[in-house]
Amino acid sequence: MSESAEITVLLADDHEVVREGLRLALLRSAQIRVVGEASDGETAVALAERRRPDVVVMDLRMPGMDGIEATEEIIRIMPDAKVLIFTAYSERALLQRGLESGARGYILKEAPHETLLRAIEKVAAGETFVDPALMSALTKSRDGSDVLTAREREILQLLADGMSNADVAQQLFISQETVKSHVRHILTKLEADTRTQAVAIALRDAMID
């Protein structure tokens, strides 16, 4: 994404003071423009559909429809939508659920505003972003099942067996786009730059055979 390209952002958080803080932080970037705010998941979905922002910054815990449900609904309506989960909770299970919901990124509310801006820019560009503060929690587990979902381990095993994305998609009866999404999450979770590196890490840590 070029330096001059504007990024439109929708803020979804049930606390007005958090939204205000976010809005002020984002004002520091000439590249980012806030196009809407929501205090619950249902409003976030409706606003995202109406305003079509480049990035939705989504709180996890909100009344009624929570952030994960709202993310899933936004992705269902707009498959190309880009959601950045913005939360105070750093539990591994929540992180995995957030990424599995279709979100492109996950950042803690305590992150420096420079990290937030970088996360929004990366997610807007179609990349995956996980708060660096979360990566050690994700990778310190000795049990691969905690780090990767069953489906991710299945896909990584097939990649390790030499299959291409197209082969994996055919074998598992899913689209190549879905395979690419899973691979993106695998690389993020394992802090790997390439599929080959991800396979090597997974073999080393006995996540796959």
Side-chain angles (χ1 to χ4, degrees), residues 6 16 30 128 191:
E6 181 183 69
E16 188 176 352
T128 300
E191 293 187 285

Side-chain angles (χ1 to χ4, degrees), residues 45-165:
V45 173
L47 275 177
E49 190 172 9
R50 195 179 317 139
R51 307 263 167 94
R52 303 276 165 161
D54 295 317
V55 179
V56 180
V57 178
M58 179 78 73
D59 185 23
L60 275 186
R61 302 279 170 88
M62 291 187 290
M65 180 186 285
D66 69 21
I68 287 177
E69 292 169 329
T71 297
E72 289 171 341
E73 184 64 10
I74 288 170
I75 301 296
R76 186 187 69 76
I77 296 168
M78 299 171 289
D80 294 331
K82 299 177 179 73
V83 179
L84 174 64
I85 298 288
F86 180 69
T87 182
Y89 303 95
S90 59
E91 295 98 324
R92 185 185 295 111
L94 268 179
L95 170 55
Q96 289 187 186
R97 279 189 63 210
L99 292 175
E100 286 159 19
S101 71
R104 293 293 184 94
Y106 200 108
I107 187 166
L108 291 175
K109 290 184 176 180
E110 65 195 35
H113 92 273
E114 291 85 0
T115 304
L116 173 63
L117 296 179
R118 189 166 78 249
I120 289 173
E121 288 166 5
K122 280 188 169 290
V123 167
E127 299 177 46
T128 300
F129 183 92
V130 176
D131 194 319
L134 287 166
M135 292 314 300
S136 60
L138 257 184
T139 55
K140 70 183 178 187
S141 169
R142 302 302 301 170
D143 179 2
S145 64
D146 281 346
V147 177
L148 300 179
T149 65
R151 175 63 91 178
E152 286 165 351
R153 288 201 309 280
E154 186 177 20
I155 288 172
L156 198 50
Q157 183 69 63
L158 294 175
L159 295 178
D161 293 341
M163 285 193 180
S164 67
N165 282 0

Side-chain angles (χ1 to χ4, degrees), residues 184-201:
R184 194 166 59 239
H185 293 156
I186 289 166
L187 295 182
T188 299
K189 289 178 177 182
L190 298 183
E191 293 187 285
D193 294 322
T194 64
R195 298 183 344 168
T196 305
Q197 188 182 2
V199 167
I201 292 169

